[in-house]
Amino acid sequence: MRNLRIAIAGLGRIGKIHLGNLCQMRGVEVVAAMDPLEEGRQYAKEKNVPCVVSAYKEMLDATAPLDAVIICSPTDTHAEYVEMAVRAGINVFCEKPLDLSLQRVVEVLKVVEESNVKLMLGFNRRFDKEFKKVKELVQNGAVGHPHLVKITSRDPGAPPISYIEKSGGLFLDMTIHDFDVARFVVDKEVEEVYAKGTVLIDKAIGEAGDIDTAVVTLTYTDGTMAVIDNSRKASYGYDQRIEVFGSEGMVQSNNNFMDSHKLYNAEGIHAALPLHFFLERYRDAYMVEVQDFINSLGKGVDVPVNGNDGLQSLKIGLAAIKSLKENRPVRLAEIV
Amino acid sequence: MRNLRIAIAGLGRIGKIHLGNLCQMRGVEVVAAMDPLEEGRQYAKEKNVPCVVSAYKEMLDATAPLDAVIICSPTDTHAEYVEMAVRAGINVFCEKPLDLSLQRVVEVLKVVEESNVKLMLGFNRRFDKEFKKVKELVQNGAVGHPHLVKITSRDPGAPPISYIEKSGGLFLDMTIHDFDVARFVVDKEVEEVYAKGTVLIDKAIGEAGDIDTAVVTLTYTDGTMAVIDNSRKASYGYDQRIEVFGSEGMVQSNNNFMDSHKLYNAEGIHAALPLHFFLERYRDAYMVEVQDFINSLGKGVDVPVNGNDGLQSLKIGLAAIKSLKENRPVRLAEIV
Amino acid sequence: MRNLRIAIAGLGRIGKIHLGNLCQMRGVEVVAAMDPLEEGRQYAKEKNVPCVVSAYKEMLDATAPLDAVIICSPTDTHAEYVEMAVRAGINVFCEKPLDLSLQRVVEVLKVVEESNVKLMLGFNRRFDKEFKKVKELVQNGAVGHPHLVKITSRDPGAPPISYIEKSGGLFLDMTIHDFDVARFVVDKEVEEVYAKGTVLIDKAIGEAGDIDTAVVTLTYTDGTMAVIDNSRKASYGYDQRIEVFGSEGMVQSNNNFMDSHKLYNAEGIHAALPLHFFLERYRDAYMVEVQDFINSLGKGVDVPVNGNDGLQSLKIGLAAIKSLKENRPVRLAEIV
Amino acid sequence: MRNLRIAIAGLGRIGKIHLGNLCQMRGVEVVAAMDPLEEGRQYAKEKNVPCVVSAYKEMLDATAPLDAVIICSPTDTHAEYVEMAVRAGINVFCEKPLDLSLQRVVEVLKVVEESNVKLMLGFNRRFDKEFKKVKELVQNGAVGHPHLVKITSRDPGAPPISYIEKSGGLFLDMTIHDFDVARFVVDKEVEEVYAKGTVLIDKAIGEAGDIDTAVVTLTYTDGTMAVIDNSRKASYGYDQRIEVFGSEGMVQSNNNFMDSHKLYNAEGIHAALPLHFFLERYRDAYMVEVQDFINSLGKGVDVPVNGNDGLQSLKIGLAAIKSLKENRPVRLAEIV
């Protein structure tokens, strides 16, 4: 069987991880890489990528036929890059979000729908062993009917204000992962959102029009609920926990820690902190998600995260923004 | 120093616990007990209480002068019993709530205020080693400025419908403890309440006009938040956890378990369930709260839980009821 | 049914605990107490014991007929006090050990055997919920055939040298509890002992002819093993753990902690220490063991810890002493 | 800077891991691989190793000059292969043990000593984050003076009898890792060994002259102790724990688990098992150890595990074998 021909666009933090992982996979050949910055291109050359360029179209043209492109470039390029690939008949793995505009996302998804190519979105947490295990147990009925989902998601530090200004804000750049997880673990759709948030970490975040601390209550279409709490800055590091409570039981998953040591001394018992941030915590998840994408190509298998998953999370995020502004519960049906 | 002369009204589950504890305390003499039921009176006789009667007034009259009365009778008797004791110059420990009517509570507190006697309310969780430790750490600045309080409170099973019909419902008979804890651990007042709830455990609860599953978001006057989740029925037993997240750290306390064993076998690792219900979990807390009440008598020391604490929790509960009905955030100022 | 008439000899730390517990039991009447010290007698008077004296014989004579006597006086009085009670037809609960001399213990047990009275020894750990649970799981086959028992037992601090000089040393005053637990949890007899020990905590302990740190390997008659490690001083408090490994699984029990809190901050995660010492850790066990003794009286039920249990642990202890001196494994058969 | 030229001998389980890891390292070029079996050679070809042969000498000759060779072939080839490499001036990373014969090991180490090349032994646990953390804390004085080391090491299943017959038995193929860890974590040398063992898992192991269950007590030269317990078969998987107790504290490290989930239901709380076996548990350690070896080449840095480390562990293992046979403590000085 011939190797799959893969190209990768964007070699920032995530792009480098994906490229490194692709280089270890069997049956995969990274034939091209693209980054506008020399530093990114240099990285690709060290990884022996044969065609390394600075423009997306150039990459697609130069290396046809491609089996798939991995898009890790900035958010504002996603929609266009996806459309270009889809129109060229190339399967796409795209980092979330497709776009911050609901209308634009709907447009792109229409293009995908009318094509034969696959589009997968990079909601990496779905491929983390912890969230997968929780989902699997819920799916197997281990907790009976799910009544409540609880998600804690806190970053070790706030991103630069410049990032926040373009990211769409806390609900669209950070909580959006939690919205996806909330749908994923119980396989239910959200109907209503109530978001409460404030600025407690850094005034500059408030001045940029965003919040840094939030509690969001989601109501699913069957009346059951989820509650998410977020902070841009946990002094003890990256905090990623989930709990699903149901009629027959409850399942939790905890953070992953640097190590398991416990030190007992006269002051108490002391243990290691959680893995610092997403690169450490989701190291294996990044490998698994791209491997799953690769595995789905050329088979009658659906990609594990599709365009609609991106669309739904975006809608929940937009509803959260509206809810926060108006201090009232907002139904997803209001977001059009 | 002479022994304190104590009377106890109501010998149901909680009354028996208080009586048993009082019998072990130094400097205390239980001189009278009252219960309308023979079974309760029998219990008091076995404990060698000298005067055992079936009517409250009779008990107060027969044993004057009393230092304090412990009121564990049904909720609808609390307000009247407290007033009678206060007017007779007797200090009072009263199980929560004082009354389900805000107006009636305000009346009773006025009577107390105009007197010289002490009134303590039985919010037992404040005396549990877990909640005390969390409070102490927060107070000492161990988590910096508190940003978010998270409380999980689930019962092992729903009470009889007959109880629910008179109790004021989930927010007034169950969540009210969590409202008190939310104020207690961070020493802040609540300004706004958003409550979302539904019936997932038992339709009969819905038919009785109540809910059995809830998520409540509280906003404190400084803009920080608390979130409480409740269920009337956790298949794995009594679930009582708290977490306080702040600028410098986070503190959690967990359930107390039947034992610490871990069994490893080919199927996994298995451990014991939480202590079954409040009688087991708060066994020591019941002792400590009454001991603290006793200790505060005859000293210039305030009781650790006063009438205003009861009033505030009631207000939050009434706001939650209103919020649930109207599906909107309700400010405490609306509750008059 | 009439109350059981109980007397108690010795009101030091343990005696006080037993007396306090007896006062809470139904169907029990503490009719007499004895202590050579005024302080102990005073305690008994406060507990309303009607007959409080300073001599053992006086107590037995003054309050006949007695159903049982609880002996908590110093070790060197145990053998004589037990014999006196047995000869007077009084059931006995005696704190361990019966005596430090094997010959004397054999003599006393012969007297008990020839009588109709019951003798129970106070190996309190058997009544702790942790050790009971491990025993129960092993008995139910949860770990299959037990292959290895591991016991960790460390005190928070060494006792006074004056105590060590009379106690028989580490193996007879401290490890003896572990020897009993090793027999108890798997219901097997020990055949051989290899003890290794040294002085690492306090030179004065060495000068008194004792050790403060030890590792003891026990071989049961079926060839399976146990290993015990001891220290007179753990900086973090009382350390009492056990693990039983078998063909089908493994069960562990852990220390009991002051509370369950976990504090996360930039330095790590911090938790509370174990309960300080045996009075705190075994508070409930002391209640249960005496209750079980009381329950066995007047019924055709054996006491849960009998004279042979004391004898076997003493033999293992003496074998450990010999093994340490001669640096070789010693068979129990050598101890005569 | 030019890439280091590396060859690898033996492509069984461990060899494949090392080869995969080497392929991901910067500055490293795997120029040759050798395995007598076609299957091993096929694996090397898929990894694009340019020179793949079936004989060791052929490999060394064909690819000179080599910077280092990684030896993962069967134990009985180690000594000869190391000597050949050393004499050719090639640095060596060799899987443990160098040889089962003390005399042969001494010979090989003499050859190494007289050369300028580096020899590192593959005691992989030293590179596991858990053991490294424990060592680091002990080294930093976090537990004060170490008094006792406790190591639990249990495999998920016994190897084939054919392996046991050639491996040197439990103490030389399995416990030898624990002996190394016991020296490593406290940086002390062992003076005396007492080993107790038996056959509880599989009679065939006994018929092959080996044991499957053991408890070994080590005494360090300063009189402090270590205790190791082993089993060839833990029903719940690979069990790798350590604890170091000292004058000022105690540090433990635990197993690494498949995930952190906890499932609460009416039967109890359930969690995932430890990672299945050494390939899973020490996945990262295998990468780190070879990276550390590579890093030490061409620098004035010592390799982190040298020939003497292998020699000492072998001596302890031989002393354990003698101790088991003679049922007495054996001093390392007796092993010559």
Side-chain angles (χ1 to χ4, degrees):
Chain A
M1 214 184 100
R2 73 167 181 83
N3 280 345
L4 292 171
R5 293 170 57 82
I6 310 288
I8 183 163
L11 291 162
R13 275 197 305 195
I14 300 290
K16 281 173 186 147
I17 288 170
H18 287 320
L19 177 52
N21 288 338
L22 285 161
C23 289
Q24 291 178 53
M25 287 178 200
R26 293 188 166 208
V28 165
E29 203 178 331
V30 183
V31 295
M34 163 268 165
D35 197 283
L37 299 179
E38 173 59 24
E39 188 267 341
R41 292 195 299 272
Q42 189 54 40
Y43 186 86
K45 283 171 193 162
E46 280 170 25
K47 287 288 180 184
N48 301 317
V49 178
C51 168
V52 180
V53 298
S54 58
Y56 183 71
K57 187 158 192 333
E58 186 187 352
M59 178 177 75
L60 296 194
D61 291 347
T63 54
L66 283 170
D67 291 290
V69 62
I70 311 291
I71 299 175
C72 323
S73 48
T75 294
D76 55 13
T77 66
H78 288 181
E80 190 192 351
Y81 284 6
V82 171
E83 284 176 341
M84 286 167 71
V86 171
R87 283 176 177 140
I90 303 168
N91 297 294
V92 182
F93 174 99
C94 184
E95 281 301 320
K96 62 95 217 167
L98 266 180
D99 199 272
L100 297 177
S101 146
L102 185 61
Q103 192 186 332
R104 190 74 183 91
V105 168
V106 169
E107 274 173 28
V108 174
L109 295 188
K110 194 144 178 275
V111 173
V112 174
E113 210 170 294
E114 290 162 355
S115 77
N116 284 320
V117 308
K118 291 179 175 180
L119 168 66
M120 172 163 162
L121 282 179
F123 279 118
N124 56 298
R125 291 188 201 167
R126 292 189 180 211
F127 305 90
D128 174 61
K129 67 185 190 305
E130 303 292 344
F131 292 96
K132 278 174 85 165
K133 184 69 189 182
V134 170
K135 158 95 173 179
E136 177 197 316
L137 284 165
V138 170
Q139 215 162 21
N140 294 350
V143 303
H145 297 290
H147 291 179
L148 179 66
V149 174
K150 291 176 66 181
I151 297 171
T152 292
S153 183
R154 299 169 189 156
D155 281 356
I161 298 297
S162 58
Y163 172 84
I164 287 175
E165 282 166 342
K166 295 182 308 180
S167 75
L170 185 123
F171 292 138
L172 292 189
D173 80 53
M174 182 173 164
T175 326
I176 200 159
H177 280 288
D178 306 310
F179 296 145
D180 183 61
V181 168
R183 292 177 62 245
F184 168 70
V185 288
V186 291
D187 213 5
K188 296 183 183 183
E189 295 299 340
V190 169
E191 186 171 282
E192 192 193 84
V193 180
Y194 178 72
K196 195 83 198 174
T198 186
V199 178
L200 298 171
I201 313 281
D202 184 356
K203 279 183 193 172
I205 292 174
E207 288 158 14
D210 201 9
I211 54 171
D212 54 32
T213 305
V215 174
V216 185
T217 306
L218 307 177
T219 309
Y220 295 104
T221 52
D222 67 356
T224 64
M225 291 166 282
V227 62
I228 298 163
D229 72 270
N230 292 137
S231 171
R232 285 284 195 190
K233 187 175 176 192
S235 59
Y236 52 88
Y238 198 40
D239 195 346
Q240 298 276 293
R241 286 173 287 151
I242 189 166
E243 174 174 323
V244 181
F245 172 79
S247 56
E248 306 298 329
M250 185 254 289
V251 59
Q252 307 173 314
S253 83
N254 201 348
N255 290 302
N256 291 355
F257 297 91
M258 292 188 190
D259 57 62
S260 77
H261 93 269
K262 288 196 180 180
L263 174 66
Y264 288 59
N265 60 26
E267 278 71 47
I269 303 175
H270 315 280
L273 287 175
L275 292 176
H276 180 62
F277 206 0
F278 65 98
L279 294 179
E280 293 84 8
R281 165 66 190 262
Y282 296 121
R283 184 182 69 157
D284 287 352
Y286 284 117
M287 174 64 102
V288 176
E289 72 171 354
V290 173
Q291 185 69 65
D292 278 11
F293 171 67
I294 296 293
N295 292 348
S296 75
L297 298 182
K299 297 185 192 166
V301 184
D302 287 343
V303 291
V305 198
N306 62 29
N308 183 53
D309 291 318
L311 181 67
Q312 293 306 319
S313 292
L314 179 61
K315 278 189 177 179
I316 302 171
L318 294 170
I321 292 171
K322 194 177 181 69
S323 172
L324 179 70
K325 274 191 195 136
E326 305 180 6
N327 195 22
R328 66 168 182 91
V330 170
R331 296 175 65 83
L332 237 59
E334 297 181 47
I335 305 302
V336 282
Chain B
M1 214 185 100
R2 73 166 180 85
N3 281 345
L4 292 171
R5 293 171 57 84
I6 311 289
I8 184 164
L11 291 162
R13 275 195 305 193
I14 300 290
K16 281 174 186 145
I17 288 170
H18 287 320
L19 178 53
N21 288 338
L22 285 161
C23 290
Q24 291 179 52
M25 287 178 201
R26 293 188 166 206
V28 166
E29 204 178 330
V30 182
V31 295
M34 162 268 165
D35 198 283
L37 299 179
E38 174 59 23
E39 188 267 343
R41 293 195 299 272
Q42 189 55 39
Y43 186 86
K45 283 172 195 164
E46 282 171 26
K47 287 287 180 184
N48 300 317
V49 178
C51 168
V52 180
V53 298
S54 58
Y56 184 71
K57 187 158 190 332
E58 186 187 353
M59 177 177 75
L60 296 195
D61 291 348
T63 54
L66 283 171
D67 291 290
V69 62
I70 311 291
I71 299 176
C72 324
S73 48
T75 294
D76 55 11
T77 66
H78 288 181
E80 190 192 351
Y81 285 7
V82 170
E83 284 177 341
M84 286 167 71
V86 171
R87 284 178 177 138
I90 303 167
N91 297 295
V92 182
F93 174 98
C94 183
E95 281 301 320
K96 62 93 218 170
L98 266 178
D99 199 273
L100 297 178
S101 147
L102 185 61
Q103 192 187 330
R104 190 73 182 91
V105 168
V106 170
E107 274 173 27
V108 174
L109 295 188
K110 195 143 177 277
V111 173
V112 175
E113 211 169 293
E114 288 164 356
S115 78
N116 284 321
V117 308
K118 293 180 174 179
L119 168 66
M120 171 163 163
L121 282 178
F123 280 117
N124 56 298
R125 291 189 201 167
R126 293 189 179 212
F127 305 90
D128 174 61
K129 67 183 191 305
E130 304 291 345
F131 293 97
K132 280 175 84 165
K133 183 70 188 179
V134 170
K135 159 96 174 178
E136 178 196 316
L137 284 165
V138 170
Q139 217 161 20
N140 293 349
V143 303
H145 298 289
H147 291 179
L148 180 66
V149 174
K150 290 176 67 180
I151 296 170
T152 292
S153 183
R154 300 170 188 153
D155 281 355
I161 298 298
S162 58
Y163 173 84
I164 287 174
E165 282 166 343
K166 297 182 307 181
S167 74
L170 184 122
F171 291 138
L172 292 189
D173 79 54
M174 181 172 164
T175 326
I176 200 158
H177 280 288
D178 306 310
F179 296 146
D180 183 61
V181 168
R183 292 177 63 247
F184 169 69
V185 288
V186 290
D187 212 6
K188 296 183 182 182
E189 294 299 340
V190 169
E191 186 171 281
E192 192 193 86
V193 180
Y194 178 71
K196 194 84 196 173
T198 186
V199 178
L200 298 171
I201 313 280
D202 184 356
K203 280 183 192 172
I205 292 174
E207 287 158 14
D210 200 8
I211 54 171
D212 53 33
T213 306
V215 173
V216 184
T217 306
L218 306 178
T219 309
Y220 296 104
T221 52
D222 67 356
T224 64
M225 291 166 282
V227 61
I228 297 164
D229 72 89
N230 292 136
S231 171
R232 285 285 195 189
K233 187 176 178 193
S235 59
Y236 52 89
Y238 198 41
D239 195 347
Q240 299 277 293
R241 286 172 286 152
I242 188 166
E243 174 174 323
V244 181
F245 172 79
S247 57
E248 306 298 330
M250 185 254 289
V251 59
Q252 307 172 315
S253 83
N254 201 349
N255 289 302
N256 291 355
F257 297 92
M258 292 188 191
D259 58 63
S260 78
H261 93 268
K262 287 195 181 181
L263 175 66
Y264 288 59
N265 61 26
E267 279 71 46
I269 303 175
H270 314 279
L273 288 174
L275 292 176
H276 180 60
F277 206 179
F278 65 97
L279 294 179
E280 293 85 8
R281 164 67 190 261
Y282 295 120
R283 184 182 67 158
D284 288 352
Y286 283 117
M287 173 66 101
V288 175
E289 72 171 353
V290 172
Q291 184 69 66
D292 278 11
F293 171 67
I294 296 294
N295 292 347
S296 76
L297 298 182
K299 297 184 191 167
V301 185
D302 287 343
V303 290
V305 199
N306 62 28
N308 183 54
D309 292 318
L311 181 66
Q312 294 306 318
S313 292
L314 178 61
K315 277 189 178 180
I316 302 171
L318 294 171
I321 292 171
K322 194 178 181 69
S323 172
L324 179 70
K325 274 192 196 137
E326 304 180 7
N327 194 23
R328 65 168 182 92
V330 170
R331 296 175 64 83
L332 237 59
E334 298 181 47
I335 306 303
V336 282
Chain C
M1 216 185 100
R2 73 166 181 85
N3 281 345
L4 291 171
R5 294 170 57 82
I6 311 288
I8 184 164
L11 291 162
R13 277 196 305 194
I14 300 290
K16 281 173 186 147
I17 288 170
H18 287 319
L19 178 53
N21 288 338
L22 286 161
C23 290
Q24 292 179 51
M25 287 178 201
R26 293 190 165 205
V28 165
E29 203 178 332
V30 182
V31 294
M34 163 269 164
D35 197 285
L37 299 179
E38 174 58 25
E39 188 268 341
R41 292 195 300 270
Q42 189 54 40
Y43 186 85
K45 281 172 194 162
E46 280 171 25
K47 287 287 180 183
N48 300 318
V49 178
C51 168
V52 180
V53 298
S54 57
Y56 183 71
K57 186 155 192 331
E58 187 187 350
M59 178 177 76
L60 296 195
D61 291 348
T63 53
L66 284 171
D67 290 291
V69 62
I70 311 292
I71 299 175
C72 323
S73 48
T75 294
D76 55 10
T77 65
H78 288 182
E80 190 192 351
Y81 284 7
V82 171
E83 283 178 340
M84 286 168 70
V86 171
R87 284 179 176 136
I90 303 167
N91 296 294
V92 181
F93 174 99
C94 183
E95 280 301 321
K96 62 94 217 167
L98 265 180
D99 200 89
L100 296 178
S101 146
L102 184 62
Q103 192 187 330
R104 190 74 183 92
V105 168
V106 170
E107 274 173 28
V108 174
L109 295 189
K110 195 145 177 275
V111 173
V112 175
E113 210 169 295
E114 288 165 355
S115 78
N116 284 320
V117 308
K118 292 179 175 182
L119 167 65
M120 172 164 162
L121 282 179
F123 280 117
N124 55 298
R125 292 190 200 165
R126 293 189 179 211
F127 305 91
D128 175 60
K129 68 185 190 304
E130 303 292 344
F131 293 96
K132 279 174 83 167
K133 184 69 188 182
V134 169
K135 158 97 175 179
E136 178 196 316
L137 285 165
V138 170
Q139 216 162 22
N140 294 349
V143 302
H145 298 290
H147 291 179
L148 179 67
V149 174
K150 290 176 68 182
I151 296 171
T152 291
S153 182
R154 300 170 188 154
D155 280 357
I161 298 298
S162 58
Y163 172 84
I164 286 176
E165 283 166 342
K166 295 182 308 179
S167 75
L170 184 123
F171 292 139
L172 292 189
D173 81 53
M174 182 174 163
T175 326
I176 200 158
H177 279 289
D178 306 309
F179 296 146
D180 184 60
V181 168
R183 290 178 63 246
F184 169 69
V185 288
V186 290
D187 213 5
K188 294 183 185 183
E189 295 299 339
V190 170
E191 184 170 284
E192 192 194 86
V193 180
Y194 177 72
K196 194 83 196 175
T198 187
V199 178
L200 298 170
I201 313 282
D202 185 355
K203 279 182 193 173
I205 292 174
E207 287 158 13
D210 200 8
I211 53 171
D212 53 34
T213 305
V215 174
V216 184
T217 305
L218 306 178
T219 309
Y220 295 104
T221 52
D222 66 357
T224 63
M225 292 166 282
V227 61
I228 298 164
D229 71 88
N230 292 137
S231 171
R232 285 284 195 189
K233 188 176 177 191
S235 59
Y236 52 87
Y238 198 41
D239 194 346
Q240 298 275 294
R241 288 171 285 152
I242 188 167
E243 173 174 325
V244 181
F245 172 78
S247 56
E248 307 298 329
M250 186 254 288
V251 60
Q252 306 173 315
S253 84
N254 201 348
N255 290 303
N256 291 354
F257 297 93
M258 291 187 191
D259 57 62
S260 78
H261 92 269
K262 287 195 181 182
L263 174 66
Y264 288 59
N265 61 25
E267 278 71 46
I269 304 176
H270 315 280
L273 287 175
L275 292 176
H276 180 61
F277 206 0
F278 66 97
L279 294 178
E280 293 84 7
R281 164 67 190 261
Y282 296 120
R283 184 182 68 157
D284 288 352
Y286 284 116
M287 174 65 103
V288 176
E289 70 171 355
V290 172
Q291 185 68 66
D292 278 11
F293 170 67
I294 296 294
N295 292 347
S296 75
L297 298 181
K299 297 184 191 165
V301 185
D302 287 343
V303 290
V305 198
N306 62 28
N308 182 54
D309 292 318
L311 180 66
Q312 293 305 320
S313 292
L314 178 61
K315 278 188 178 182
I316 302 171
L318 295 171
I321 292 172
K322 193 177 183 69
S323 172
L324 179 70
K325 274 191 196 137
E326 305 180 5
N327 194 24
R328 66 170 182 91
V330 169
R331 297 175 64 84
L332 238 60
E334 299 180 46
I335 306 302
V336 283
Chain D
M1 216 185 98
R2 72 165 181 85
N3 280 345
L4 291 171
R5 294 171 57 83
I6 310 288
I8 183 164
L11 290 161
R13 277 196 304 194
I14 299 290
K16 281 173 186 146
I17 289 170
H18 287 319
L19 178 53
N21 288 339
L22 286 161
C23 289
Q24 291 178 52
M25 287 178 201
R26 292 189 167 205
V28 165
E29 203 178 331
V30 182
V31 294
M34 162 268 164
D35 198 284
L37 299 180
E38 173 60 26
E39 188 267 341
R41 293 195 299 270
Q42 189 54 40
Y43 187 85
K45 283 171 192 163
E46 281 170 25
K47 287 289 179 181
N48 300 318
V49 178
C51 168
V52 180
V53 298
S54 57
Y56 183 70
K57 188 158 190 333
E58 186 188 352
M59 177 178 75
L60 296 195
D61 291 347
T63 53
L66 284 170
D67 291 290
V69 62
I70 311 291
I71 299 175
C72 323
S73 47
T75 294
D76 55 12
T77 66
H78 287 182
E80 190 192 350
Y81 284 8
V82 171
E83 282 177 341
M84 287 166 71
V86 172
R87 285 179 175 137
I90 303 167
N91 296 294
V92 182
F93 173 98
C94 183
E95 280 300 320
K96 62 93 218 169
L98 265 179
D99 199 272
L100 297 178
S101 147
L102 184 61
Q103 193 187 331
R104 191 73 184 92
V105 167
V106 170
E107 274 172 28
V108 174
L109 295 188
K110 196 144 177 274
V111 173
V112 175
E113 210 169 293
E114 290 164 355
S115 77
N116 284 320
V117 308
K118 291 179 176 182
L119 167 66
M120 172 164 163
L121 282 179
F123 280 119
N124 56 298
R125 291 189 201 165
R126 292 191 179 209
F127 305 90
D128 174 62
K129 66 183 191 305
E130 303 292 343
F131 293 96
K132 278 174 86 166
K133 185 68 188 181
V134 169
K135 158 97 174 179
E136 178 196 317
L137 285 165
V138 170
Q139 217 161 22
N140 295 349
V143 302
H145 298 290
H147 290 179
L148 179 66
V149 174
K150 290 176 67 182
I151 296 171
T152 291
S153 183
R154 298 169 189 155
D155 281 355
I161 297 297
S162 58
Y163 173 84
I164 287 175
E165 283 166 342
K166 295 183 307 178
S167 75
L170 184 123
F171 292 138
L172 292 189
D173 80 53
M174 182 174 164
T175 325
I176 200 158
H177 280 288
D178 307 309
F179 295 146
D180 184 60
V181 168
R183 291 177 64 246
F184 169 70
V185 289
V186 290
D187 213 7
K188 295 182 185 184
E189 295 299 340
V190 169
E191 187 170 281
E192 192 194 87
V193 180
Y194 178 72
K196 195 82 197 177
T198 186
V199 178
L200 298 171
I201 313 282
D202 184 355
K203 279 182 193 173
I205 292 174
E207 286 158 14
D210 200 9
I211 53 172
D212 53 33
T213 305
V215 174
V216 184
T217 305
L218 306 177
T219 308
Y220 296 104
T221 52
D222 67 355
T224 65
M225 291 167 282
V227 62
I228 298 164
D229 70 89
N230 293 135
S231 171
R232 285 284 196 190
K233 187 175 178 192
S235 59
Y236 52 87
Y238 198 42
D239 194 346
Q240 298 276 293
R241 288 172 285 153
I242 189 166
E243 173 174 325
V244 181
F245 172 78
S247 57
E248 305 299 329
M250 186 255 287
V251 58
Q252 306 173 314
S253 84
N254 201 348
N255 289 302
N256 291 354
F257 297 92
M258 292 189 191
D259 58 62
S260 78
H261 92 268
K262 287 195 181 181
L263 174 65
Y264 288 60
N265 61 26
E267 277 71 44
I269 304 175
H270 315 280
L273 287 175
L275 292 176
H276 179 62
F277 206 179
F278 65 98
L279 294 179
E280 294 84 7
R281 164 67 190 262
Y282 295 120
R283 184 182 67 158
D284 288 353
Y286 283 116
M287 174 66 102
V288 175
E289 71 170 355
V290 172
Q291 185 69 66
D292 277 11
F293 170 68
I294 296 294
N295 293 347
S296 76
L297 299 181
K299 297 184 192 167
V301 185
D302 287 343
V303 290
V305 198
N306 61 29
N308 182 54
D309 291 318
L311 181 68
Q312 293 306 319
S313 291
L314 178 61
K315 277 188 178 180
I316 302 172
L318 295 171
I321 291 172
K322 194 176 180 70
S323 173
L324 179 70
K325 274 190 194 136
E326 305 180 5
N327 195 24
R328 66 170 182 91
V330 170
R331 296 175 66 83
L332 237 59
E334 299 180 46
I335 306 302
V336 283

